[in-house]
Amino acid sequence: MTLDRSRFLYGLFFCCITLMFWGMLPIALKLSTGFIDPITLTWLRFTFAGIVMLLWQLNRGKLAEFRHLSRSHIISLLIAGTMLIVNYTFMVWGLSYLHPGAAQLSFQLAPLFLTLGGWWFLKERVFWQHWACFALMASGMLLFFHPAIESSTGLTGIGFLIVQVSALGWTAYALIQKSLFKVLSPSNILLSIYLYALIIMLPFAHPTSLLELNSQDYWVALFCCVNTVVAYGAFAQAMRYWQTVQVSACVAMTPVVTFILSEVCVAYGLFSEVIFSAEADQLSLLGMALVIAAAITVQLLSPMLTKRHQSRLEQASVLKTPLTND
């Protein structure tokens, strides 16, 4: 087996693991809404992930990075942690109003928020092709949610808005994380956030309610915890073997996986009290396809457009450079 083929297969394997676990997560979170509140579940997920990550980083001897943190870095970590708490908590809350696949699809607006944040705060360039993709994404959202819009279903609108708050929280976290890469590795950034969330959310969580769960509830809660570690671990491994664009384009297919798994649960009568069929019509399916196509296109176009822009700037710089005689 050649090295390139080996890297491709490893990348495909870890990307599929990421896709599957992130696709299953909204279903598990939807199930959890019947027996645990969003804050307690989020606290539990962060606590589990924080302990696992702490043992992992301690075993690798990677905790020395924290010695070089300044006061401003610590403040940035605290803000990033708060934003990730908002992301996790509001996503669970939104699932009280939305089908798991609809919630996952609604979260696809996060790339738009991230691009706008990079443009506004980091002065990154946004091309007209980006705006075209985002307009296509907005059109797809309108088509997908047209049954709720036409029937004036307020609960769906509330769920959509709650998920957008979750997406904005993730965007803020991602932008702050990018500014911290010079002093901390991604693993240590997540470790800091997990431990911060463990402490700051404890007064608002109800750990004693975990003692009242039945066996099925325990398995659902445990899966949500394990998912946090496995999905992000597989995502990090996929990034080692594939380019960022390839991984991002693959992950953009997550809503499709969630929809398929939800329909499988409905077909086999699994969790019938909580999981229902999306019953999407042709316009809704077209809208979903437009959103996913736009999300993938943004991921594929961004590095190409940036590279072409830099090339043009370099050529213009060369043309402006005056010639000198030896």
Side-chain angles (χ1 to χ4, degrees), residues 214-250:
N214 59 40
S215 58
Q216 178 178 301
D217 296 343
Y218 269 120
W219 282 112
V220 172
L222 179 61
F223 176 80
C224 291
C225 294
V226 173
N227 190 293
T228 305
V229 177
V230 173
Y232 276 98
F235 178 76
Q237 290 297 319
M239 295 285 281
R240 289 182 57 191
Y241 297 103
W242 277 11
Q243 294 180 359
T244 304
V245 173
Q246 293 174 289
V247 178
S248 299
C250 182

Side-chain angles (χ1 to χ4, degrees), residues 265-291:
C265 289
V266 172
Y268 286 92
L270 302 175
F271 317 115
S272 56
E273 302 85 1
V274 181
I275 304 298
F276 304 98
S277 175
E279 297 181 353
D281 59 17
Q282 292 184 348
L283 270 181
S284 295
L285 293 176
L286 175 61
M288 181 175 69
L290 289 178
V291 171

Side-chain angles (χ1 to χ4, degrees), residues 93-240:
W93 187 18
L95 281 162
S96 299
Y97 301 92
L98 292 175
H99 180 276
Q104 192 70 275
L105 187 70
S106 301
F107 195 81
Q108 292 301 306
L109 285 179
L112 167 60
F113 299 148
L114 187 59
T115 301
L116 292 176
W119 171 63
W120 184 262
F121 295 105
L122 304 179
K123 308 304 178 184
E124 296 178 349
R125 187 175 178 85
V126 180
F127 301 92
W128 69 265
Q129 291 92 336
H130 286 127
W131 298 116
C133 287
F134 294 142
L136 184 65
M137 191 179 294
S139 301
M141 287 287 182
L142 289 174
L143 286 176
F144 178 80
F145 285 105
H146 83 91
I149 295 172
E150 293 170 359
S151 61
S152 300
T153 305
L155 292 180
T156 300
I158 292 172
F160 177 81
L161 291 176
I162 292 173
V163 172
Q164 297 320 301
V165 175
S166 173
L168 286 171
W170 178 85
T171 300
Y173 151 75
L175 290 171
I176 296 171
Q177 183 191 48
K178 189 173 183 179
S179 69
L180 290 169
F181 281 155
K182 294 180 180 179
V183 292
L184 283 178
S185 66
S187 296
N188 276 336
I189 292 174
L190 284 174
L191 171 61
S192 305
I193 291 173
Y194 291 153
L195 295 181
Y196 163 73
L198 186 161
I199 297 170
I200 204 71
M201 295 186 72
L202 182 57
F204 308 98
H206 302 90
T208 54
S209 65
L210 299 174
L211 301 175
E212 302 172 3
L213 304 184
N214 59 40
S215 58
Q216 178 178 301
D217 296 343
Y218 269 120
W219 282 112
V220 172
L222 179 61
F223 176 80
C224 291
C225 294
V226 173
N227 190 293
T228 305
V229 177
V230 173
Y232 276 98
F235 178 76
Q237 290 297 319
M239 295 285 281
R240 289 182 57 191

Side-chain angles (χ1 to χ4, degrees), residues 7-8 37 41 71 77 84-85 111 119 123 195 252 264 291 299:
R7 289 182 63 84
F8 171 80
D37 64 276
L41 178 63
R71 183 178 179 181
L77 276 173
L84 201 60
I85 290 171
W119 171 63
K123 308 304 178 184
L195 295 181
V264 168
V291 171
Q299 303 294 349

